[in-house]
Amino acid sequence: METVLQTDQAYKVFEGFVAINNVSIDLKKGEKHAIIGPNGAGKTTLFNLITGHLGLDSGSVSFEGKDITGTAPHRIVKLGLARSFQRINIYPRMTVFENVQVALIARDGRSFHLFTLGHSLNCEESAELLELVGLSDEAEEMAGKLAYGKQKQLELAISLASNPSVLLLDEPTAGMSPAETVEAIKLIEEITEARSLALLFTEHDMGVVFGIADRISVLHHGELIFSGPPDRVREDPEVRRVYLGQSHGAA
Ligand code: ADP
Ligand code: MG
């Protein structure tokens, strides 16, 4: 299977604290790969290193065979690697439709003027993206007024505006109700399928992880202690000891 994304011995220190310790992971074409680990394990930091939001102290990152170490985040997005953040990242005072429109205008490298919104630019594609994430009926609502789960759906549409081949989702169901979580997962699966995306995601809900992932990697204190198929992770003694055993008991 073709590798689309790879870190090689990624290493990051925050004032003497080793947050990511020589982590080498990869993502194959079309794969759904979950990164799990206790709070503070380094999952978000690893994402930030991959997307260029943080610089590596050593090691490298490559995307579709190209070394992207040190590349600026907006350039990495342009190459086809999109992400969502743990925090909501939308324009609350614009409509849902305009939020997507702005993302498409930015992708095309155009500057936008508020008065051009709602008019001609990228209307068809905006509508398509909203349909894809199930927000067609909310197109004219103020983004900030949407329920939390729907704001996350909007964020997904915004991430997809750059036509990515790889999507990184950091805790996509955090803060969601059980019902919203079920919807979000269904949507993520539909979208990865519809757009043939490879997915790298972090998630604290093990039901979600085992429901979606083709592969699971486990981070602990910044180190990769396991990477393999879901049916093997539960049996790995090291993983049981440091992670699953802690939060889910030994059963
Ligand atoms: P996770 O996402 O797995 O919960 P993080 O990647 O957010 O973990 O954090 C890993 C560790 O690095 C934590 O101990 C955190 O406090 C520390 N850390 C993260 N970002 C910074 C930063 N910008 N400066 C200093 N320490 C940080
Ligand atoms: Mg995190």
PDB file of all heavy atoms in Angstrom, residues 14-15 17 19-20 37-46 48 54 86 170-171 219, ligand 1:
ATOM      1  N   PHE A  14       9.775  20.797  24.603  1.00  0.00           N
ATOM      2  CA  PHE A  14       9.292  22.081  25.123  1.00  0.00           C
ATOM      3  C   PHE A  14      10.072  22.392  26.394  1.00  0.00           C
ATOM      4  O   PHE A  14       9.843  21.757  27.419  1.00  0.00           O
ATOM      5  CB  PHE A  14       7.803  22.014  25.476  1.00  0.00           C
ATOM      6  CG  PHE A  14       6.890  21.830  24.308  1.00  0.00           C
ATOM      7  CD1 PHE A  14       6.088  20.699  24.216  1.00  0.00           C
ATOM      8  CD2 PHE A  14       6.783  22.797  23.320  1.00  0.00           C
ATOM      9  CE1 PHE A  14       5.213  20.544  23.155  1.00  0.00           C
ATOM     10  CE2 PHE A  14       5.909  22.639  22.256  1.00  0.00           C
ATOM     11  CZ  PHE A  14       5.126  21.513  22.169  1.00  0.00           C
ATOM     12  N   GLU A  15      10.974  23.331  26.344  1.00  0.00           N
ATOM     13  CA  GLU A  15      11.759  23.730  27.522  1.00  0.00           C
ATOM     14  C   GLU A  15      12.242  22.528  28.336  1.00  0.00           C
ATOM     15  O   GLU A  15      11.934  22.401  29.530  1.00  0.00           O
ATOM     16  CB  GLU A  15      10.925  24.662  28.407  1.00  0.00           C
ATOM     17  CG  GLU A  15      10.716  26.028  27.770  1.00  0.00           C
ATOM     18  CD  GLU A  15       9.474  26.725  28.300  1.00  0.00           C
ATOM     19  OE1 GLU A  15       9.077  26.425  29.438  1.00  0.00           O
ATOM     20  OE2 GLU A  15       8.908  27.536  27.568  1.00  0.00           O
ATOM     21  N   PHE A  17      11.317  19.497  28.227  1.00  0.00           N
ATOM     22  CA  PHE A  17      10.356  18.390  28.317  1.00  0.00           C
ATOM     23  C   PHE A  17      10.162  17.763  26.936  1.00  0.00           C
ATOM     24  O   PHE A  17       9.769  18.431  25.985  1.00  0.00           O
ATOM     25  CB  PHE A  17       9.022  18.937  28.852  1.00  0.00           C
ATOM     26  CG  PHE A  17       7.897  17.939  28.811  1.00  0.00           C
ATOM     27  CD1 PHE A  17       7.794  16.943  29.781  1.00  0.00           C
ATOM     28  CD2 PHE A  17       6.940  17.989  27.805  1.00  0.00           C
ATOM     29  CE1 PHE A  17       6.754  16.029  29.745  1.00  0.00           C
ATOM     30  CE2 PHE A  17       5.893  17.074  27.770  1.00  0.00           C
ATOM     31  CZ  PHE A  17       5.811  16.097  28.736  1.00  0.00           C
ATOM     32  N   ALA A  19       8.275  16.153  24.386  1.00  0.00           N
ATOM     33  CA  ALA A  19       6.848  15.930  24.118  1.00  0.00           C
ATOM     34  C   ALA A  19       6.640  14.855  23.059  1.00  0.00           C
ATOM     35  O   ALA A  19       5.674  14.096  23.113  1.00  0.00           O
ATOM     36  CB  ALA A  19       6.183  17.235  23.680  1.00  0.00           C
ATOM     37  N   ILE A  20       7.546  14.802  22.081  1.00  0.00           N
ATOM     38  CA  ILE A  20       7.483  13.776  21.027  1.00  0.00           C
ATOM     39  C   ILE A  20       8.887  13.192  20.867  1.00  0.00           C
ATOM     40  O   ILE A  20       9.836  13.911  20.556  1.00  0.00           O
ATOM     41  CB  ILE A  20       6.992  14.383  19.687  1.00  0.00           C
ATOM     42  CG1 ILE A  20       5.530  14.806  19.787  1.00  0.00           C
ATOM     43  CG2 ILE A  20       7.181  13.394  18.526  1.00  0.00           C
ATOM     44  CD1 ILE A  20       4.535  13.655  19.958  1.00  0.00           C
ATOM     45  N   GLY A  37      -3.944   7.612  23.130  1.00  0.00           N
ATOM     46  CA  GLY A  37      -2.987   7.761  24.221  1.00  0.00           C
ATOM     47  C   GLY A  37      -3.596   8.670  25.262  1.00  0.00           C
ATOM     48  O   GLY A  37      -4.446   9.490  24.927  1.00  0.00           O
ATOM     49  N   PRO A  38      -3.162   8.534  26.512  1.00  0.00           N
ATOM     50  CA  PRO A  38      -3.735   9.349  27.577  1.00  0.00           C
ATOM     51  C   PRO A  38      -3.534  10.838  27.320  1.00  0.00           C
ATOM     52  O   PRO A  38      -2.706  11.227  26.491  1.00  0.00           O
ATOM     53  CB  PRO A  38      -2.948   8.916  28.819  1.00  0.00           C
ATOM     54  CG  PRO A  38      -2.244   7.659  28.461  1.00  0.00           C
ATOM     55  CD  PRO A  38      -2.103   7.638  26.978  1.00  0.00           C
ATOM     56  N   ASN A  39      -4.267  11.661  28.035  1.00  0.00           N
ATOM     57  CA  ASN A  39      -4.072  13.106  27.975  1.00  0.00           C
ATOM     58  C   ASN A  39      -2.617  13.459  28.184  1.00  0.00           C
ATOM     59  O   ASN A  39      -1.981  12.923  29.084  1.00  0.00           O
ATOM     60  CB  ASN A  39      -4.884  13.788  29.088  1.00  0.00           C
ATOM     61  CG  ASN A  39      -6.129  14.421  28.540  1.00  0.00           C
ATOM     62  OD1 ASN A  39      -6.206  14.732  27.346  1.00  0.00           O
ATOM     63  ND2 ASN A  39      -7.106  14.598  29.400  1.00  0.00           N
ATOM     64  N   GLY A  40      -2.097  14.333  27.354  1.00  0.00           N
ATOM     65  CA  GLY A  40      -0.721  14.758  27.510  1.00  0.00           C
ATOM     66  C   GLY A  40       0.284  13.818  26.847  1.00  0.00           C
ATOM     67  O   GLY A  40       1.484  14.037  26.932  1.00  0.00           O
ATOM     68  N   ALA A  41      -0.205  12.796  26.159  1.00  0.00           N
ATOM     69  CA  ALA A  41       0.692  11.821  25.522  1.00  0.00           C
ATOM     70  C   ALA A  41       1.466  12.436  24.352  1.00  0.00           C
ATOM     71  O   ALA A  41       2.523  11.935  23.977  1.00  0.00           O
ATOM     72  CB  ALA A  41      -0.109  10.618  25.023  1.00  0.00           C
ATOM     73  N   GLY A  42       0.910  13.503  23.758  1.00  0.00           N
ATOM     74  CA  GLY A  42       1.603  14.164  22.650  1.00  0.00           C
ATOM     75  C   GLY A  42       0.853  14.116  21.329  1.00  0.00           C
ATOM     76  O   GLY A  42       1.404  14.499  20.286  1.00  0.00           O
ATOM     77  N   LYS A  43      -0.406  13.702  21.353  1.00  0.00           N
ATOM     78  CA  LYS A  43      -1.175  13.540  20.112  1.00  0.00           C
ATOM     79  C   LYS A  43      -1.327  14.855  19.343  1.00  0.00           C
ATOM     80  O   LYS A  43      -1.034  14.923  18.147  1.00  0.00           O
ATOM     81  CB  LYS A  43      -2.567  12.947  20.426  1.00  0.00           C
ATOM     82  CG  LYS A  43      -2.508  11.623  21.179  1.00  0.00           C
ATOM     83  CD  LYS A  43      -3.885  11.107  21.535  1.00  0.00           C
ATOM     84  CE  LYS A  43      -4.697  11.967  22.484  1.00  0.00           C
ATOM     85  NZ  LYS A  43      -4.186  12.050  23.868  1.00  0.00           N
ATOM     86  N   THR A  44      -1.775  15.897  20.049  1.00  0.00           N
ATOM     87  CA  THR A  44      -1.966  17.190  19.381  1.00  0.00           C
ATOM     88  C   THR A  44      -0.622  17.755  18.918  1.00  0.00           C
ATOM     89  O   THR A  44      -0.514  18.317  17.826  1.00  0.00           O
ATOM     90  CB  THR A  44      -2.692  18.174  20.325  1.00  0.00           C
ATOM     91  OG1 THR A  44      -3.991  17.634  20.624  1.00  0.00           O
ATOM     92  CG2 THR A  44      -2.862  19.539  19.688  1.00  0.00           C
ATOM     93  N   THR A  45       0.390  17.578  19.732  1.00  0.00           N
ATOM     94  CA  THR A  45       1.732  18.049  19.340  1.00  0.00           C
ATOM     95  C   THR A  45       2.187  17.361  18.058  1.00  0.00           C
ATOM     96  O   THR A  45       2.714  18.013  17.147  1.00  0.00           O
ATOM     97  CB  THR A  45       2.741  17.781  20.483  1.00  0.00           C
ATOM     98  OG1 THR A  45       2.281  18.442  21.661  1.00  0.00           O
ATOM     99  CG2 THR A  45       4.133  18.269  20.121  1.00  0.00           C
ATOM    100  N   LEU A  46       1.955  16.071  17.971  1.00  0.00           N
ATOM    101  CA  LEU A  46       2.340  15.337  16.759  1.00  0.00           C
ATOM    102  C   LEU A  46       1.600  15.909  15.540  1.00  0.00           C
ATOM    103  O   LEU A  46       2.202  16.114  14.474  1.00  0.00           O
ATOM    104  CB  LEU A  46       2.029  13.846  16.941  1.00  0.00           C
ATOM    105  CG  LEU A  46       2.448  12.931  15.792  1.00  0.00           C
ATOM    106  CD1 LEU A  46       3.963  12.956  15.587  1.00  0.00           C
ATOM    107  CD2 LEU A  46       1.983  11.500  16.030  1.00  0.00           C
ATOM    108  N   ASN A  48       0.486  18.942  15.259  1.00  0.00           N
ATOM    109  CA  ASN A  48       1.053  20.267  14.986  1.00  0.00           C
ATOM    110  C   ASN A  48       2.390  20.178  14.262  1.00  0.00           C
ATOM    111  O   ASN A  48       2.720  21.037  13.439  1.00  0.00           O
ATOM    112  CB  ASN A  48       1.210  21.055  16.292  1.00  0.00           C
ATOM    113  CG  ASN A  48      -0.112  21.561  16.815  1.00  0.00           C
ATOM    114  OD1 ASN A  48      -1.057  21.802  16.046  1.00  0.00           O
ATOM    115  ND2 ASN A  48      -0.211  21.724  18.124  1.00  0.00           N
ATOM    116  N   LEU A  54       3.945  23.601  14.379  1.00  0.00           N
ATOM    117  CA  LEU A  54       5.109  23.596  15.271  1.00  0.00           C
ATOM    118  C   LEU A  54       6.299  23.091  14.465  1.00  0.00           C
ATOM    119  O   LEU A  54       6.133  22.244  13.586  1.00  0.00           O
ATOM    120  CB  LEU A  54       4.895  22.636  16.440  1.00  0.00           C
ATOM    121  CG  LEU A  54       4.068  23.069  17.653  1.00  0.00           C
ATOM    122  CD1 LEU A  54       3.900  21.869  18.586  1.00  0.00           C
ATOM    123  CD2 LEU A  54       4.716  24.227  18.386  1.00  0.00           C
ATOM    124  N   GLN A  86      -8.906  21.001  17.774  1.00  0.00           N
ATOM    125  CA  GLN A  86      -9.698  20.575  18.926  1.00  0.00           C
ATOM    126  C   GLN A  86     -10.731  21.657  19.261  1.00  0.00           C
ATOM    127  O   GLN A  86     -11.825  21.344  19.695  1.00  0.00           O
ATOM    128  CB  GLN A  86      -8.767  20.317  20.114  1.00  0.00           C
ATOM    129  CG  GLN A  86      -8.950  18.943  20.739  1.00  0.00           C
ATOM    130  CD  GLN A  86      -7.881  18.624  21.775  1.00  0.00           C
ATOM    131  OE1 GLN A  86      -6.669  18.756  21.533  1.00  0.00           O
ATOM    132  NE2 GLN A  86      -8.314  18.221  22.941  1.00  0.00           N
ATOM    133  N   ASP A 170      -8.425  16.107  14.994  1.00  0.00           N
ATOM    134  CA  ASP A 170      -7.980  16.030  16.380  1.00  0.00           C
ATOM    135  C   ASP A 170      -9.214  16.007  17.282  1.00  0.00           C
ATOM    136  O   ASP A 170      -9.888  17.015  17.425  1.00  0.00           O
ATOM    137  CB  ASP A 170      -7.082  17.232  16.703  1.00  0.00           C
ATOM    138  CG  ASP A 170      -6.304  17.043  17.998  1.00  0.00           C
ATOM    139  OD1 ASP A 170      -6.473  16.001  18.670  1.00  0.00           O
ATOM    140  OD2 ASP A 170      -5.523  17.956  18.340  1.00  0.00           O
ATOM    141  N   GLU A 171      -9.508  14.862  17.860  1.00  0.00           N
ATOM    142  CA  GLU A 171     -10.659  14.691  18.754  1.00  0.00           C
ATOM    143  C   GLU A 171     -11.958  15.189  18.123  1.00  0.00           C
ATOM    144  O   GLU A 171     -12.613  16.077  18.658  1.00  0.00           O
ATOM    145  CB  GLU A 171     -10.418  15.458  20.068  1.00  0.00           C
ATOM    146  CG  GLU A 171      -9.118  15.104  20.751  1.00  0.00           C
ATOM    147  CD  GLU A 171      -9.307  14.157  21.935  1.00  0.00           C
ATOM    148  OE1 GLU A 171     -10.439  13.728  22.171  1.00  0.00           O
ATOM    149  OE2 GLU A 171      -8.306  13.845  22.566  1.00  0.00           O
ATOM    150  N   LEU A 219       0.363   6.337  21.619  1.00  0.00           N
ATOM    151  CA  LEU A 219       1.411   7.208  22.136  1.00  0.00           C
ATOM    152  C   LEU A 219       1.350   7.199  23.651  1.00  0.00           C
ATOM    153  O   LEU A 219       0.261   7.229  24.233  1.00  0.00           O
ATOM    154  CB  LEU A 219       1.169   8.650  21.675  1.00  0.00           C
ATOM    155  CG  LEU A 219       1.753   9.169  20.374  1.00  0.00           C
ATOM    156  CD1 LEU A 219       1.420  10.658  20.236  1.00  0.00           C
ATOM    157  CD2 LEU A 219       3.258   8.976  20.289  1.00  0.00           C
TER     158      LEU A 219
HETATM  159  P1  ADP B   1      -2.407  15.250  23.925  1.00  0.00           P
HETATM  160  O1  ADP B   1      -2.959  15.923  22.716  1.00  0.00           O
HETATM  161  O2  ADP B   1      -2.006  13.840  23.692  1.00  0.00           O
HETATM  162  O3  ADP B   1      -3.317  15.367  25.108  1.00  0.00           O
HETATM  163  P2  ADP B   1      -0.414  17.355  23.823  1.00  0.00           P
HETATM  164  O4  ADP B   1       0.282  17.121  22.546  1.00  0.00           O
HETATM  165  O5  ADP B   1      -1.410  18.450  23.849  1.00  0.00           O
HETATM  166  O6  ADP B   1      -1.060  15.994  24.351  1.00  0.00           O
HETATM  167  O7  ADP B   1       0.648  17.652  24.941  1.00  0.00           O
HETATM  168  C1  ADP B   1       1.767  16.819  25.171  1.00  0.00           C
HETATM  169  C2  ADP B   1       2.610  17.424  26.275  1.00  0.00           C
HETATM  170  O8  ADP B   1       3.288  18.560  25.787  1.00  0.00           O
HETATM  171  C3  ADP B   1       1.801  17.892  27.482  1.00  0.00           C
HETATM  172  O9  ADP B   1       2.543  17.617  28.634  1.00  0.00           O
HETATM  173  C4  ADP B   1       1.670  19.363  27.257  1.00  0.00           C
HETATM  174  O10 ADP B   1       1.545  20.052  28.474  1.00  0.00           O
HETATM  175  C5  ADP B   1       2.975  19.705  26.548  1.00  0.00           C
HETATM  176  N1  ADP B   1       2.835  20.848  25.613  1.00  0.00           N
HETATM  177  C6  ADP B   1       2.033  20.874  24.532  1.00  0.00           C
HETATM  178  N2  ADP B   1       2.170  22.041  23.866  1.00  0.00           N
HETATM  179  C7  ADP B   1       3.073  22.773  24.573  1.00  0.00           C
HETATM  180  C8  ADP B   1       3.651  24.068  24.402  1.00  0.00           C
HETATM  181  N3  ADP B   1       3.324  24.861  23.370  1.00  0.00           N
HETATM  182  N4  ADP B   1       4.553  24.479  25.323  1.00  0.00           N
HETATM  183  C9  ADP B   1       4.895  23.688  26.365  1.00  0.00           C
HETATM  184  N5  ADP B   1       4.406  22.454  26.574  1.00  0.00           N
HETATM  185  C10 ADP B   1       3.489  21.990  25.692  1.00  0.00           C
END
